Amino acid sequence: MSVPILPTISTFFIVLSAILVAIGWVLILKRKVDAHKKTMLAAGVSALLFFIIYVSRTVFIGNTSFGGPDHLKIYYTIFLVFHIMLATTGAVFGIISIYTGLKDKLPRHRKIGPVTSIIWFFTAITGVAVYLLLYILYEGGDTTSMIKAIFGN
C-alpha cells in the first residue's frame, strides 16, 4: 500500500495548526502576548496551507471514497459529515478570532478564542481519523468527485 503525498502533507498542516494553537494558548496564559500573536498567526497560515492543498487536490484530482468494509461505510459517512461541519465552523471561528485579536477587540477575542481552539482541536483529531480511515487502515476507494466520495455511486 502506498500513501498518497498530498493528503499526507495536508494532514501534517492541520496537525501542525492544532499544535501551534495549543502552544499559543500556553503563551497567552503566560501573558506572552507578542509570542501568542505570532504563534496563532502561524497556526492560521498552517490551516490555510491545509485548505489550499485540500481544495487543489479536490479540484484537480478529486476525493477518495471510503475503501473499507461496506458495513462501516454509513458510520464513516456520518463521521465525515461531522468532521466537515466541525472544520467549517472552526474555520469561521478561526477567522473571527484572528480578526478580533488583530483589531484589539479583546473582550470578544477572549470569549471566542478558547471556543475556537477547542473546535479546532476536535477538527484536527477527526481530520487525522479521516486520513487514517481513508489511507492507512483501509486501502482508499475510487478517487472521484466530492459528492460521489461522500454519498457513493
Side-chain angles (χ1 to χ4, degrees):
M1 173 186 354
S2 66
V3 179
I5 190 72
L6 288 178
T8 303
I9 293 170
S10 65
T11 301
F12 165 79
F13 279 118
I14 209 64
V15 170
L16 178 60
S17 73
I19 291 168
L20 289 168
V21 167
I23 292 168
W25 213 355
V26 170
L27 289 169
I28 201 61
L29 290 173
K30 292 182 176 184
R31 305 275 189 234
K32 296 181 178 183
V33 176
D34 193 49
H36 166 78
K37 180 178 177 179
K38 290 176 183 173
T39 303
M40 294 309 229
L41 286 172
V45 168
S46 181
L48 182 60
L49 288 171
F50 157 81
F51 185 71
I52 290 168
I53 294 167
Y54 175 79
V55 169
S56 297
R57 182 173 189 274
T58 300
V59 169
F60 295 110
I61 299 170
N63 280 335
T64 302
S65 63
F66 181 63
D70 285 341
H71 71 278
L72 294 180
K73 183 166 178 34
I74 186 65
Y75 302 109
Y76 169 79
T77 302
I78 292 167
F79 186 78
L80 179 61
V81 169
F82 175 71
H83 167 70
I84 291 168
M85 290 173 23
L86 268 177
T88 303
T89 303
V92 171
F93 272 61
I95 291 166
I96 294 168
S97 293
I98 290 171
Y99 176 81
T100 56
L102 291 175
K103 293 296 182 181
D104 287 328
K105 298 180 180 204
L106 297 182
R108 187 168 187 201
H109 182 75
R110 288 181 184 124
K111 281 184 183 177
I112 191 173
V115 173
T116 303
S117 298
I118 292 166
I119 293 169
W120 203 249
F121 294 141
F122 281 106
T123 298
I125 291 166
T126 57
V128 169
V130 167
Y131 171 79
L132 292 173
L133 288 166
L134 278 182
Y135 304 109
I136 305 300
L137 298 176
Y138 302 106
E139 192 167 330
D142 295 332
T143 297
T144 187
S145 72
M146 184 172 13
I147 299 300
K148 285 185 182 177
I150 292 173
F151 297 110
N153 299 0

